[in-house]
Amino acid sequence: MSEAIAEIPARVPPGGIPVAAPAPAERKGLTKKEIAADHPTWCPGCGDFSVLALYFKLIEKRKIWHENITTVAGIGCSSRFPYFVQAHGVHYIHGRALPFATGISLSRPDLHVFAFGGDGDAFSIGGNHFTHTARKNVRMTYVVMDNWVYGLTKKQTSPTSPLGFKSKTDQWGAIDYPINPMKQAIAAGATFVARTTSTNPNHVLAMMEAAMDHDGFSFIECLSECVEFYEGAFDAANPRKGGVFNEVPKDHDVTDELNAYKLAGADFPGYFGIFYKNHKPTKNAKEAEIQRGMMEKVKGLKDWQILQKNFDRMK
Ligand SMILES: Cc1ncc(C[n+]2csc(CCOP(=O)(O)OP(=O)(O)O)c2C)c(N)n1
Ligand code: SF4
Ligand SMILES: [Mg+2]
């Protein structure tokens, strides 16, 4: 790490943990060329392109540097995301992006931790991790690119596929009731819950920015069409295809959990925007507090002496 980087002052949110510092004026933000890595391998027209482009835009706009951000994902078409970002990131195990991202978030409070994934990754195999990361209020942003299908494995029913959806696992149409990601997130305890759609770029960027600025677990459901295996799934939410894009009513109180839950229950295409947002101490802040107390007790000792003390206690 260069001296210039080491000198960047930390921004401290209400939770007390420093987050990635804003750019000093003399350092230019990264350009898209510097952030883009491999050529995305998604099918032409896939909604995921838009989410990636807006992530680049976010990094550019907010002048975040490579060393201040990390991009984590599980497995799936959407989870290929970190490959396409020229920054530190991990393409991890199916459904396990969040525990990995939690480790990064807790050990490197100076980073913006972004996790990306699909509906299968988040709510099937990763369903438990979603619930527990949300309830622990670990500081990170999780964007689920929901296409209502397993794309990578070529069209199986996902937990968000609507009833009647014909797939390789439900040849006669899906018979299992789909989950509602927004309800799931609110009920699990996420402190920021928003919904957007990849066909509305300004809105995606606005949601990502608001999520990034939230000191806690921020969740965004982003509708992202799989043009290969679920074409037209979200036309009803796209005014360019004759659909409607209804924003969360202006008078909605985002701290009102019950009303957020009601908004989440609206028939498709439902609402878009921030449904729920509340401040609650993060796991990061709580752990840091414990650590501060512990470090006070071993003040002045070298690392090996602390270790020795621990071994001595175990004798
Ligand atoms: C442990 C494990 N089980 C199953 C798979 C196979 N698999 C890979 S991706 C995937 C689902 C992907 O769906 P989703 O998360 O919705 O992502 P999408 O491809 O739709 O973006 C499955 C079942 C796997 N890679 N690892
Ligand atoms: S299969 Fe679907 S989700 Fe995967 S890249 Fe193609 S369009 Fe996108
Ligand atoms: Mg999917």
Side-chain angles (χ1 to χ4, degrees):
M1 192 181 276
S2 77
E3 273 178 39
I5 297 165
E7 280 166 13
I8 296 169
R11 181 158 59 90
V12 184
I17 309 282
V19 298
E26 70 273 14
R27 211 174 156 200
K28 282 199 184 118
L30 295 171
T31 60
K32 190 190 158 196
K33 208 173 158 198
E34 289 166 310
I35 313 162
D38 278 359
H39 181 71
T41 48
W42 293 314
C43 309
C46 175
D48 295 354
F49 279 102
S50 163
V51 185
L52 180 68
L54 291 155
Y55 189 51
F56 291 156
K57 192 128 203 125
L58 175 82
I59 296 172
E60 254 183 298
K61 184 174 173 197
R62 299 297 291 267
K63 294 198 171 157
I64 308 170
W65 291 302
H66 292 131
E67 68 273 18
N68 294 141
I69 194 162
T70 187
T71 316
V72 185
I75 299 288
C77 288
S78 39
S79 293
R80 297 184 66 78
F81 210 90
Y83 282 130
F84 312 137
V85 184
Q86 178 62 37
H88 300 291
V90 190
H91 184 218
Y92 196 48
I93 306 169
H94 194 26
R96 270 65 180 172
L98 293 186
F100 200 97
T102 295
I104 299 174
S105 176
L106 294 177
S107 57
R108 287 291 307 272
D110 55 318
L111 296 181
H112 290 287
V113 180
F114 272 85
F116 291 88
D119 37 311
D121 198 66
F123 307 120
S124 282
I125 195 165
N128 267 332
H129 296 303
F130 178 71
T131 300
H132 296 295
T133 313
R135 83 175 165 87
K136 291 173 185 178
N137 199 25
V138 181
R139 192 156 55 74
M140 70 172 80
T141 295
Y142 187 32
V143 181
V144 172
M145 292 131 91
D146 190 359
N147 56 11
W148 291 357
V149 68
Y150 290 179
L152 187 77
T153 44
K154 303 186 189 303
K155 202 174 186 178
Q156 290 83 23
T157 301
S158 103
T160 53
S161 301
L163 287 171
F165 173 62
K166 288 194 175 141
S167 73
K168 286 185 182 132
T169 41
D170 279 295
Q171 294 178 42
W172 297 276
I175 52 171
D176 297 321
Y177 302 101
I179 66 134
N180 179 319
M182 303 300 281
K183 284 187 175 178
Q184 195 108 345
I186 297 164
T191 49
F192 178 105
V193 182
R195 186 165 179 261
T196 189
T197 172
S198 66
T199 50
N200 191 331
N202 291 339
H203 196 264
V204 174
L205 183 62
M207 292 303 106
M208 277 192 190
E209 278 201 81
M212 188 184 93
D213 290 338
H214 177 69
D215 184 28
F217 182 75
S218 49
F219 166 72
I220 302 174
E221 182 199 14
C222 179
L223 304 181
S224 181
E225 184 179 339
C226 172
V227 290
E228 192 66 27
F229 300 117
Y230 207 150
E231 201 183 358
F234 308 129
D235 284 0
N238 184 355
R240 287 192 297 277
K241 300 256 178 93
V244 286
F245 180 82
N246 285 327
E247 292 204 47
V248 165
K250 290 218 167 2
D251 60 354
H252 169 62
D253 172 7
V254 291
T255 63
D256 185 338
E257 191 174 327
L258 208 60
N259 252 326
Y261 202 80
K262 278 186 193 156
L263 278 183
D267 286 342
F268 190 81
Y271 294 97
F272 296 93
I274 301 171
F275 284 42
Y276 183 68
K277 180 171 149 68
N278 226 332
H279 182 72
K280 197 159 80 172
T282 58
K283 182 174 176 74
N284 307 61
K286 291 182 182 183
E287 270 205 4
E289 193 51 43
I290 295 170
Q291 276 171 20
R292 263 192 290 274
M294 296 309 286
M295 291 314 285
E296 199 53 43
K297 286 188 190 157
V298 292
K299 211 171 166 182
L301 295 181
K302 293 193 177 352
D303 284 355
W304 70 264
Q305 289 172 313
I306 300 172
L307 209 58
Q308 185 66 56
K309 262 174 110 67
N310 277 337
F311 284 137
D312 289 346
R313 255 184 332 136
M314 284 187 252
K315 277 180 191 162

